[in-house]
Coordinates of all heavy atoms in Angstrom, one line a residue:
T73 N 94.0 86.8 94.3 CA 94.2 86.3 95.7 C 94.4 87.6 96.5 O 95.2 88.4 96.3 CB 95.5 85.5 95.8 OG1 95.4 84.4 94.9 CG2 95.6 84.9 97.2
F74 N 93.5 87.7 97.5 CA 93.5 88.8 98.5 C 94.3 88.4 99.7 O 94.1 87.2 100.2 CB 92.1 89.2 98.9 CG 91.3 89.9 97.8 CD1 90.4 89.1 97.0 CD2 91.5 91.2 97.5 CE1 89.7 89.7 96.0 CE2 90.8 91.8 96.4 CZ 89.9 91.1 95.7
S75 N 95.1 89.2 100.2 CA 95.6 89.1 101.6 C 95.2 90.4 102.3 O 94.7 91.3 101.7 CB 97.1 88.8 101.6 OG 97.8 89.9 101.0
E76 N 95.5 90.5 103.6 CA 95.1 91.7 104.3 C 95.8 92.9 103.7 O 97.0 93.0 103.9 CB 95.3 91.6 105.8 CG 94.3 90.6 106.4 CD 94.3 90.7 107.9 OE1 94.4 91.8 108.4 OE2 94.1 89.6 108.5
G77 N 95.1 93.7 103.0 CA 95.7 95.0 102.4 C 96.3 94.9 101.1 O 96.6 95.9 100.5
T78 N 96.6 93.7 100.5 CA 97.2 93.6 99.2 C 96.4 92.5 98.4 O 95.7 91.7 98.9 CB 98.7 93.2 99.3 OG1 98.8 91.9 99.9 CG2 99.5 94.2 100.0
F79 N 96.6 92.5 97.1 CA 96.1 91.5 96.2 C 97.1 91.2 95.1 O 98.0 92.0 94.8 CB 94.7 91.9 95.6 CG 94.8 93.1 94.6 CD1 95.1 92.9 93.3 CD2 94.6 94.4 95.1 CE1 95.2 93.9 92.4 CE2 94.7 95.4 94.2 CZ 95.0 95.2 92.8
K80 N 97.0 90.0 94.5 CA 97.8 89.7 93.3 C 96.8 89.0 92.3 O 95.9 88.3 92.7 CB 98.9 88.7 93.7 CG 100.0 89.3 94.5 CD 101.1 88.4 94.7 CE 102.1 89.1 95.5 NZ 103.4 88.5 95.6
T81 N 97.0 89.3 91.0 CA 96.2 88.7 90.0 C 97.1 87.9 89.0 O 98.3 88.1 88.9 CB 95.4 89.7 89.2 OG1 96.4 90.6 88.5 CG2 94.5 90.5 90.1
E82 N 96.5 87.0 88.3 CA 97.1 86.3 87.2 C 96.2 86.4 86.0 O 95.0 86.3 86.1 CB 97.4 84.8 87.5 CG 98.5 84.6 88.6 CD 98.7 83.2 88.9 OE1 98.3 82.3 88.1 OE2 99.3 82.9 90.0
N83 N 96.8 86.5 84.8 CA 96.1 86.6 83.5 C 95.0 87.7 83.5 O 93.9 87.4 83.0 CB 95.4 85.2 83.3 CG 96.5 84.1 83.2 OD1 97.5 84.3 82.6 ND2 96.2 83.0 83.8
A84 N 95.4 88.8 83.9 CA 94.4 90.0 83.9 C 94.8 90.9 82.8 O 96.0 90.9 82.3 CB 94.5 90.7 85.2
I85 N 93.9 91.7 82.3 CA 94.2 92.8 81.5 C 94.5 94.0 82.4 O 93.7 94.4 83.2 CB 92.9 93.2 80.6 CG1 92.6 92.0 79.7 CG2 93.2 94.4 79.8 CD1 91.4 92.2 78.9
S86 N 95.8 94.5 82.2 CA 96.3 95.4 83.2 C 95.5 96.7 83.4 O 95.5 97.2 84.5 CB 97.8 95.7 82.9 OG 97.9 96.4 81.7
S87 N 94.9 97.1 82.4 CA 94.1 98.4 82.6 C 92.8 98.1 83.4 O 92.3 99.1 84.0 CB 93.8 99.0 81.2 OG 93.1 98.1 80.4
A88 N 92.4 96.9 83.4 CA 91.2 96.6 84.3 C 91.6 96.1 85.6 O 91.0 96.4 86.6 CB 90.3 95.5 83.6
W89 N 92.7 95.3 85.7 CA 93.2 94.8 86.9 C 94.7 94.8 86.9 O 95.4 94.2 86.1 CB 92.9 93.3 87.0 CG 91.6 92.9 87.7 CD1 90.4 92.6 87.1 CD2 91.4 92.8 89.1 NE1 89.5 92.3 88.1 CE2 90.0 92.5 89.3 CE3 92.2 93.0 90.2 CZ2 89.5 92.3 90.6 CZ3 91.6 92.9 91.5 CH2 90.3 92.5 91.6
P90 N 95.3 95.6 87.8 CA 96.8 95.5 87.9 C 97.2 94.1 88.4 O 96.5 93.4 89.0 CB 97.1 96.5 89.0 CG 95.9 97.2 89.4 CD 94.7 96.5 88.8
S91 N 98.5 93.7 88.1 CA 99.0 92.4 88.6 C 99.1 92.3 90.1 O 99.0 91.2 90.6 CB 100.3 92.1 87.9 OG 101.3 93.1 88.3
E92 N 99.2 93.4 90.7 CA 99.2 93.4 92.2 C 98.9 94.8 92.7 O 99.0 95.8 91.9 CB 100.5 92.9 92.8 CG 101.7 93.7 92.4 CD 103.0 93.1 92.9 OE1 103.1 91.8 92.9 OE2 103.9 93.9 93.3
G93 N 98.5 95.0 93.9 CA 98.2 96.3 94.4 C 97.7 96.2 95.9 O 97.7 95.1 96.5
N94 N 97.3 97.4 96.3 CA 96.8 97.5 97.7 C 95.3 97.6 97.6 O 94.7 98.1 96.6 CB 97.4 98.7 98.4 CG 98.9 98.6 98.6 OD1 99.4 97.5 98.9 ND2 99.6 99.7 98.3
W95 N 94.6 97.3 98.7 CA 93.2 97.5 98.8 C 92.8 97.7 100.3 O 93.6 97.4 101.2 CB 92.4 96.3 98.2 CG 92.5 95.1 99.1 CD1 93.5 94.2 99.0 CD2 91.6 94.6 100.1 NE1 93.3 93.1 99.9 CE2 92.1 93.4 100.6 CE3 90.4 95.1 100.6 CZ2 91.5 92.7 101.6 CZ3 89.8 94.3 101.6 CH2 90.3 93.1 102.1
Q96 N 91.6 98.3 100.5 CA 91.0 98.4 101.8 C 89.5 98.5 101.7 O 89.0 98.8 100.6 CB 91.5 99.7 102.5 CG 91.1 101.0 101.8 CD 91.7 102.2 102.5 OE1 92.6 102.1 103.3 NE2 91.2 103.4 102.2

Side-chain angles (χ1 to χ4, degrees):
T73 304
F74 292 99
S75 60
E76 289 194 38
T78 62
F79 67 87
K80 290 187 179 194
T81 64
E82 292 181 17
N83 300 319
I85 295 174
S86 63
S87 55
W89 269 101
S91 60
E92 59 184 39
N94 298 320
W95 69 277
Q96 65 183 15

